[in-house]
Amino acid sequence: MPTAGGPRRRVAGADLTRPVQAVRKLHRAVEKLGFVALRIVPWLWQLPLTDRLCSPLYAACVE
C-alpha cells in the first residue's frame, strides 16, 4: 500500500452500455495515462458480472 505522497495506482471505470467505446477508453487509460485496473460496478448498471456487455472489457483486460 502506498504511503502518503508515494506512488498512486489509477483505476478506470467503464460505461457498460457502450462496450466498444469502453474498450477504446480502457486502452487509452492504460497505454497513455498509466491506469492499472478496471472497476466494474454491476449494481450501477443493474447487470450481473456475467452479462455479455462485460465480455469485451474482460477480453481487453486479458490483453
Side-chain angles (χ1 to χ4, degrees):
M1 184 121 200
T3 59
R8 306 270 173 158
R9 305 284 186 228
R10 295 178 176 179
V11 177
D15 181 350
L16 295 180
T17 63
R18 296 184 172 153
V20 174
Q21 184 180 15
V23 169
R24 283 191 205 118
K25 287 184 175 187
L26 176 62
H27 280 294
R28 181 179 177 275
V30 170
E31 295 168 4
K32 306 243 186 232
L33 303 174
F35 283 61
V36 297
L38 172 66
R39 180 177 181 218
I40 295 177
V41 185
W43 56 264
L44 181 64
W45 305 104
Q46 298 178 355
L47 297 170
L49 290 174
T50 55
D51 191 279
R52 64 185 175 85
L53 290 174
C54 298
S55 296
L57 288 163
Y58 293 153
C61 287
V62 172
E63 292 174 3

PDB file of all heavy atoms in Angstrom, residues 3 6 9-10 27 30 32-33 39-40 43-45 48 53 56 58 63:
ATOM      1  N   THR A   3       2.337   4.877   0.642  1.00  0.00           N
ATOM      2  CA  THR A   3       2.253   5.823   1.752  1.00  0.00           C
ATOM      3  C   THR A   3       1.844   7.190   1.208  1.00  0.00           C
ATOM      4  O   THR A   3       1.896   7.427   0.008  1.00  0.00           O
ATOM      5  CB  THR A   3       3.614   5.943   2.466  1.00  0.00           C
ATOM      6  OG1 THR A   3       4.581   6.387   1.507  1.00  0.00           O
ATOM      7  CG2 THR A   3       4.042   4.608   3.033  1.00  0.00           C
ATOM      8  N   GLY A   6       3.386   8.935  -1.817  1.00  0.00           N
ATOM      9  CA  GLY A   6       4.044   7.913  -2.623  1.00  0.00           C
ATOM     10  C   GLY A   6       3.308   7.677  -3.927  1.00  0.00           C
ATOM     11  O   GLY A   6       2.385   8.399  -4.280  1.00  0.00           O
ATOM     12  N   ARG A   9      -1.983   4.373  -7.661  1.00  0.00           N
ATOM     13  CA  ARG A   9      -2.479   3.496  -8.718  1.00  0.00           C
ATOM     14  C   ARG A   9      -3.804   4.051  -9.214  1.00  0.00           C
ATOM     15  O   ARG A   9      -4.668   4.435  -8.427  1.00  0.00           O
ATOM     16  CB  ARG A   9      -2.696   2.074  -8.195  1.00  0.00           C
ATOM     17  CG  ARG A   9      -1.485   1.468  -7.555  1.00  0.00           C
ATOM     18  CD  ARG A   9      -0.497   1.045  -8.616  1.00  0.00           C
ATOM     19  NE  ARG A   9       0.594   0.324  -7.970  1.00  0.00           N
ATOM     20  CZ  ARG A   9       1.860   0.558  -8.197  1.00  0.00           C
ATOM     21  NH1 ARG A   9       2.213   1.475  -9.051  1.00  0.00           N
ATOM     22  NH2 ARG A   9       2.775  -0.132  -7.594  1.00  0.00           N
ATOM     23  N   ARG A  10      -3.956   4.098 -10.509  1.00  0.00           N
ATOM     24  CA  ARG A  10      -5.178   4.625 -11.099  1.00  0.00           C
ATOM     25  C   ARG A  10      -6.078   3.481 -11.544  1.00  0.00           C
ATOM     26  O   ARG A  10      -5.620   2.507 -12.127  1.00  0.00           O
ATOM     27  CB  ARG A  10      -4.856   5.507 -12.296  1.00  0.00           C
ATOM     28  CG  ARG A  10      -4.099   6.749 -11.906  1.00  0.00           C
ATOM     29  CD  ARG A  10      -3.769   7.538 -13.120  1.00  0.00           C
ATOM     30  NE  ARG A  10      -3.122   8.779 -12.727  1.00  0.00           N
ATOM     31  CZ  ARG A  10      -2.695   9.675 -13.587  1.00  0.00           C
ATOM     32  NH1 ARG A  10      -2.843   9.484 -14.872  1.00  0.00           N
ATOM     33  NH2 ARG A  10      -2.121  10.771 -13.152  1.00  0.00           N
ATOM     34  N   HIS A  27      -8.211   1.083 -23.210  1.00  0.00           N
ATOM     35  CA  HIS A  27      -6.876   1.003 -23.817  1.00  0.00           C
ATOM     36  C   HIS A  27      -6.138   2.331 -23.671  1.00  0.00           C
ATOM     37  O   HIS A  27      -4.958   2.356 -23.328  1.00  0.00           O
ATOM     38  CB  HIS A  27      -6.969   0.617 -25.291  1.00  0.00           C
ATOM     39  CG  HIS A  27      -7.169  -0.835 -25.525  1.00  0.00           C
ATOM     40  ND1 HIS A  27      -6.221  -1.780 -25.201  1.00  0.00           N
ATOM     41  CD2 HIS A  27      -8.209  -1.523 -26.042  1.00  0.00           C
ATOM     42  CE1 HIS A  27      -6.667  -2.973 -25.522  1.00  0.00           C
ATOM     43  NE2 HIS A  27      -7.881  -2.853 -26.021  1.00  0.00           N
ATOM     44  N   VAL A  30      -4.983   2.884 -20.045  1.00  0.00           N
ATOM     45  CA  VAL A  30      -3.831   2.053 -19.674  1.00  0.00           C
ATOM     46  C   VAL A  30      -2.567   2.514 -20.392  1.00  0.00           C
ATOM     47  O   VAL A  30      -1.524   2.725 -19.770  1.00  0.00           O
ATOM     48  CB  VAL A  30      -4.121   0.562 -19.981  1.00  0.00           C
ATOM     49  CG1 VAL A  30      -2.867  -0.280 -19.829  1.00  0.00           C
ATOM     50  CG2 VAL A  30      -5.224   0.042 -19.073  1.00  0.00           C
ATOM     51  N   LYS A  32      -1.846   5.333 -22.304  1.00  0.00           N
ATOM     52  CA  LYS A  32      -1.430   6.740 -22.301  1.00  0.00           C
ATOM     53  C   LYS A  32      -1.433   7.387 -20.923  1.00  0.00           C
ATOM     54  O   LYS A  32      -0.649   8.298 -20.674  1.00  0.00           O
ATOM     55  CB  LYS A  32      -2.338   7.544 -23.225  1.00  0.00           C
ATOM     56  CG  LYS A  32      -2.426   7.003 -24.630  1.00  0.00           C
ATOM     57  CD  LYS A  32      -1.900   7.978 -25.601  1.00  0.00           C
ATOM     58  CE  LYS A  32      -2.165   7.436 -26.996  1.00  0.00           C
ATOM     59  NZ  LYS A  32      -1.039   7.408 -27.820  1.00  0.00           N
ATOM     60  N   LEU A  33      -2.322   6.918 -20.045  1.00  0.00           N
ATOM     61  CA  LEU A  33      -2.485   7.597 -18.758  1.00  0.00           C
ATOM     62  C   LEU A  33      -1.956   6.799 -17.566  1.00  0.00           C
ATOM     63  O   LEU A  33      -1.971   7.282 -16.447  1.00  0.00           O
ATOM     64  CB  LEU A  33      -3.968   7.938 -18.540  1.00  0.00           C
ATOM     65  CG  LEU A  33      -4.610   8.797 -19.638  1.00  0.00           C
ATOM     66  CD1 LEU A  33      -6.102   8.955 -19.391  1.00  0.00           C
ATOM     67  CD2 LEU A  33      -3.924  10.141 -19.743  1.00  0.00           C
ATOM     68  N   ARG A  39     -12.500  -1.099 -12.911  1.00  0.00           N
ATOM     69  CA  ARG A  39     -13.520  -1.347 -11.894  1.00  0.00           C
ATOM     70  C   ARG A  39     -14.880  -1.376 -12.578  1.00  0.00           C
ATOM     71  O   ARG A  39     -15.286  -0.405 -13.220  1.00  0.00           O
ATOM     72  CB  ARG A  39     -13.511  -0.251 -10.842  1.00  0.00           C
ATOM     73  CG  ARG A  39     -14.558  -0.466  -9.775  1.00  0.00           C
ATOM     74  CD  ARG A  39     -14.471   0.606  -8.718  1.00  0.00           C
ATOM     75  NE  ARG A  39     -15.465   0.354  -7.692  1.00  0.00           N
ATOM     76  CZ  ARG A  39     -16.153   1.294  -7.093  1.00  0.00           C
ATOM     77  NH1 ARG A  39     -15.944   2.554  -7.383  1.00  0.00           N
ATOM     78  NH2 ARG A  39     -17.030   0.992  -6.173  1.00  0.00           N
ATOM     79  N   ILE A  40     -15.550  -2.497 -12.442  1.00  0.00           N
ATOM     80  CA  ILE A  40     -16.900  -2.635 -12.970  1.00  0.00           C
ATOM     81  C   ILE A  40     -17.844  -2.689 -11.765  1.00  0.00           C
ATOM     82  O   ILE A  40     -17.666  -3.511 -10.879  1.00  0.00           O
ATOM     83  CB  ILE A  40     -17.046  -3.900 -13.823  1.00  0.00           C
ATOM     84  CG1 ILE A  40     -16.166  -3.778 -15.069  1.00  0.00           C
ATOM     85  CG2 ILE A  40     -18.500  -4.119 -14.213  1.00  0.00           C
ATOM     86  CD1 ILE A  40     -16.174  -4.995 -15.948  1.00  0.00           C
ATOM     87  N   TRP A  43     -23.981  -3.162  -9.831  1.00  0.00           N
ATOM     88  CA  TRP A  43     -25.240  -2.610  -9.329  1.00  0.00           C
ATOM     89  C   TRP A  43     -25.576  -1.283  -9.992  1.00  0.00           C
ATOM     90  O   TRP A  43     -26.732  -0.921 -10.136  1.00  0.00           O
ATOM     91  CB  TRP A  43     -25.223  -2.471  -7.812  1.00  0.00           C
ATOM     92  CG  TRP A  43     -24.084  -1.657  -7.281  1.00  0.00           C
ATOM     93  CD1 TRP A  43     -22.897  -2.120  -6.802  1.00  0.00           C
ATOM     94  CD2 TRP A  43     -24.006  -0.224  -7.190  1.00  0.00           C
ATOM     95  NE1 TRP A  43     -22.078  -1.075  -6.430  1.00  0.00           N
ATOM     96  CE2 TRP A  43     -22.749   0.109  -6.654  1.00  0.00           C
ATOM     97  CE3 TRP A  43     -24.874   0.807  -7.513  1.00  0.00           C
ATOM     98  CZ2 TRP A  43     -22.327   1.411  -6.436  1.00  0.00           C
ATOM     99  CZ3 TRP A  43     -24.463   2.115  -7.287  1.00  0.00           C
ATOM    100  CH2 TRP A  43     -23.202   2.397  -6.747  1.00  0.00           C
ATOM    101  N   LEU A  44     -24.554  -0.550 -10.446  1.00  0.00           N
ATOM    102  CA  LEU A  44     -24.785   0.733 -11.109  1.00  0.00           C
ATOM    103  C   LEU A  44     -25.524   0.530 -12.432  1.00  0.00           C
ATOM    104  O   LEU A  44     -26.386   1.314 -12.803  1.00  0.00           O
ATOM    105  CB  LEU A  44     -23.458   1.444 -11.344  1.00  0.00           C
ATOM    106  CG  LEU A  44     -23.517   2.807 -12.000  1.00  0.00           C
ATOM    107  CD1 LEU A  44     -24.235   3.802 -11.115  1.00  0.00           C
ATOM    108  CD2 LEU A  44     -22.114   3.295 -12.302  1.00  0.00           C
ATOM    109  N   TRP A  45     -25.191  -0.548 -13.126  1.00  0.00           N
ATOM    110  CA  TRP A  45     -25.787  -0.840 -14.430  1.00  0.00           C
ATOM    111  C   TRP A  45     -26.938  -1.840 -14.316  1.00  0.00           C
ATOM    112  O   TRP A  45     -27.556  -2.171 -15.320  1.00  0.00           O
ATOM    113  CB  TRP A  45     -24.719  -1.381 -15.376  1.00  0.00           C
ATOM    114  CG  TRP A  45     -23.573  -0.448 -15.465  1.00  0.00           C
ATOM    115  CD1 TRP A  45     -22.351  -0.597 -14.869  1.00  0.00           C
ATOM    116  CD2 TRP A  45     -23.526   0.806 -16.142  1.00  0.00           C
ATOM    117  NE1 TRP A  45     -21.562   0.492 -15.131  1.00  0.00           N
ATOM    118  CE2 TRP A  45     -22.254   1.372 -15.911  1.00  0.00           C
ATOM    119  CE3 TRP A  45     -24.439   1.508 -16.913  1.00  0.00           C
ATOM    120  CZ2 TRP A  45     -21.880   2.604 -16.438  1.00  0.00           C
ATOM    121  CZ3 TRP A  45     -24.052   2.731 -17.431  1.00  0.00           C
ATOM    122  CH2 TRP A  45     -22.799   3.272 -17.195  1.00  0.00           C
ATOM    123  N   PRO A  48     -25.631  -8.402 -14.159  1.00  0.00           N
ATOM    124  CA  PRO A  48     -24.722  -9.331 -13.489  1.00  0.00           C
ATOM    125  C   PRO A  48     -23.338  -9.250 -14.133  1.00  0.00           C
ATOM    126  O   PRO A  48     -23.202  -8.837 -15.296  1.00  0.00           O
ATOM    127  CB  PRO A  48     -25.365 -10.702 -13.745  1.00  0.00           C
ATOM    128  CG  PRO A  48     -26.113 -10.521 -15.008  1.00  0.00           C
ATOM    129  CD  PRO A  48     -26.610  -9.086 -14.992  1.00  0.00           C
ATOM    130  N   LEU A  53     -22.360  -7.810 -22.065  1.00  0.00           N
ATOM    131  CA  LEU A  53     -21.780  -6.481 -22.240  1.00  0.00           C
ATOM    132  C   LEU A  53     -20.425  -6.337 -21.544  1.00  0.00           C
ATOM    133  O   LEU A  53     -19.635  -5.473 -21.901  1.00  0.00           O
ATOM    134  CB  LEU A  53     -22.750  -5.409 -21.721  1.00  0.00           C
ATOM    135  CG  LEU A  53     -24.013  -5.200 -22.553  1.00  0.00           C
ATOM    136  CD1 LEU A  53     -24.940  -4.227 -21.847  1.00  0.00           C
ATOM    137  CD2 LEU A  53     -23.678  -4.706 -23.940  1.00  0.00           C
ATOM    138  N   PRO A  56     -16.375  -7.868 -23.691  1.00  0.00           N
ATOM    139  CA  PRO A  56     -15.295  -7.146 -24.383  1.00  0.00           C
ATOM    140  C   PRO A  56     -14.294  -6.513 -23.411  1.00  0.00           C
ATOM    141  O   PRO A  56     -13.089  -6.476 -23.691  1.00  0.00           O
ATOM    142  CB  PRO A  56     -16.030  -6.072 -25.193  1.00  0.00           C
ATOM    143  CG  PRO A  56     -17.420  -6.579 -25.323  1.00  0.00           C
ATOM    144  CD  PRO A  56     -17.691  -7.378 -24.093  1.00  0.00           C
ATOM    145  N   TYR A  58     -13.587  -7.641 -20.349  1.00  0.00           N
ATOM    146  CA  TYR A  58     -12.791  -8.736 -19.768  1.00  0.00           C
ATOM    147  C   TYR A  58     -11.684  -9.147 -20.744  1.00  0.00           C
ATOM    148  O   TYR A  58     -10.541  -9.352 -20.352  1.00  0.00           O
ATOM    149  CB  TYR A  58     -13.668  -9.939 -19.439  1.00  0.00           C
ATOM    150  CG  TYR A  58     -14.669  -9.713 -18.333  1.00  0.00           C
ATOM    151  CD1 TYR A  58     -15.846 -10.437 -18.303  1.00  0.00           C
ATOM    152  CD2 TYR A  58     -14.441  -8.801 -17.317  1.00  0.00           C
ATOM    153  CE1 TYR A  58     -16.778 -10.242 -17.289  1.00  0.00           C
ATOM    154  CE2 TYR A  58     -15.363  -8.599 -16.307  1.00  0.00           C
ATOM    155  CZ  TYR A  58     -16.531  -9.321 -16.293  1.00  0.00           C
ATOM    156  OH  TYR A  58     -17.448  -9.137 -15.299  1.00  0.00           O
ATOM    157  N   GLU A  63      -5.677  -8.880 -22.407  1.00  0.00           N
ATOM    158  CA  GLU A  63      -4.625  -8.420 -23.324  1.00  0.00           C
ATOM    159  C   GLU A  63      -3.526  -7.764 -22.535  1.00  0.00           C
ATOM    160  O   GLU A  63      -2.411  -7.775 -22.762  1.00  0.00           O
ATOM    161  CB  GLU A  63      -5.172  -7.414 -24.327  1.00  0.00           C
ATOM    162  CG  GLU A  63      -6.123  -7.990 -25.310  1.00  0.00           C
ATOM    163  CD  GLU A  63      -6.752  -6.906 -26.210  1.00  0.00           C
ATOM    164  OE1 GLU A  63      -6.396  -5.726 -26.092  1.00  0.00           O
ATOM    165  OE2 GLU A  63      -7.628  -7.267 -26.995  1.00  0.00           O
TER     166      GLU A  63
END
